[in-house]
Amino acid sequence: MAFISVDASTNSMAFAIFTDTLSAWGKIIYNHDSKSIYDKAGTIGKKSGSTVSALIERFNARTMIIEKPIFANSPMTASNLALTQGALVGASFMGGIHRIVGTEPITWQSYIGNKNLTKAEKEQIKLDNPTQSVNWLKVRQRELRKQRTMDYVNNRFSLDITDNDVGDAIGIACYAFDSGVLK
């Protein structure tokens, strides 16, 4: 079964296509002209809808798996992510997708062997960077986990992916393909 996996944000949509194996991958950048979240959602709907339509036409993929929006401490950020992802989902259905499945980030990441950092790993990062702020350390932890996903993807498919959004889209696809969650 062919399917599309998506790692979406308010600025871009990274995707991977699986048929019997990884068949294609890429990323579209939305390039918003407006600061209004509603204008951004409109741009996302237009651009993601046309991209999904083209992918369906080329690969006959009618199912999509998408990473669910992350929990955000800011209600505005959570609202913006939900609104823009809703625009992408609606446009995908309009573009020809028949079924969309969501997955939690930690679910697919853990499945491919990229679980949360252990207490010891976090402590080592802190010891290696004693003068850095708490925020810097959190960003570094996130970067290390993103790199783990890219390493997994690159090793599995003999690729050289350097964009962590594309790496995540392929990682989501690996989870979906290997786990059978789309069956």
Side-chain angles (χ1 to χ4, degrees):
M1 167 182 64
F3 66 89
I4 302 169
S5 65
V6 173
D7 179 43
S9 73
T10 57
N11 296 313
S12 66
M13 179 183 96
F15 62 88
I17 305 293
F18 250 73
T19 49
D20 292 330
T21 187
L22 180 62
S23 300
W25 60 90
K27 182 176 180 177
I28 59 170
I29 308 294
Y30 296 129
N31 293 324
H32 305 291
D33 294 330
S34 174
K35 298 290 182 204
S36 163
I37 192 60
Y38 298 104
D39 291 340
K40 287 180 180 184
T43 298
I44 289 167
K46 289 176 191 172
K47 289 188 177 183
S48 60
S50 61
T51 299
V52 168
S53 292
L55 294 172
I56 289 170
E57 186 174 314
R58 182 165 178 207
F59 295 99
N60 197 29
R62 300 286 182 173
T63 300
M64 177 184 285
I65 184 164
I66 186 168
E67 182 181 67
K68 292 179 181 179
I70 59 163
F71 171 76
N73 289 330
S74 160
M76 179 187 264
T77 300
S79 174
N80 289 350
L81 285 170
L83 180 65
T84 55
Q85 192 165 84
L88 185 151
V89 166
S92 296
F93 277 120
M94 294 293 290
I97 290 291
H98 294 166
R99 178 174 166 235
I100 297 179
V101 174
T103 184
E104 302 290 339
I106 194 62
T107 300
W108 73 261
Q109 291 165 348
S110 293
Y111 192 87
I112 67 165
N114 189 6
K115 296 181 180 181
N116 281 328
L117 296 176
T118 65
K119 186 175 180 179
E121 288 170 322
K122 290 177 183 178
E123 190 59 35
Q124 189 60 53
I125 293 168
K126 192 174 180 181
L127 290 171
D128 291 345
N129 302 282
T131 61
Q132 298 299 334
S133 69
V134 170
N135 189 51
W136 187 95
L137 294 170
K138 285 184 182 182
V139 168
R140 181 69 184 132
Q141 291 170 15
R142 182 178 181 274
E143 289 170 350
L144 287 172
R145 293 201 62 234
K146 291 286 187 183
Q147 187 60 52
R148 280 186 185 171
T149 296
M150 287 189 294
D151 291 345
Y152 172 84
V153 165
N154 288 333
N155 290 333
R156 179 168 174 170
F157 298 105
S158 298
L159 298 173
D160 187 25
I161 300 294
T162 57
D163 183 294
N164 63 49
D165 296 329
V166 173
D168 283 1
I170 297 171
I172 293 164
C174 291
Y175 157 72
F177 186 77
D178 295 343
S179 73
V181 73
L182 298 179
K183 292 182 182 182

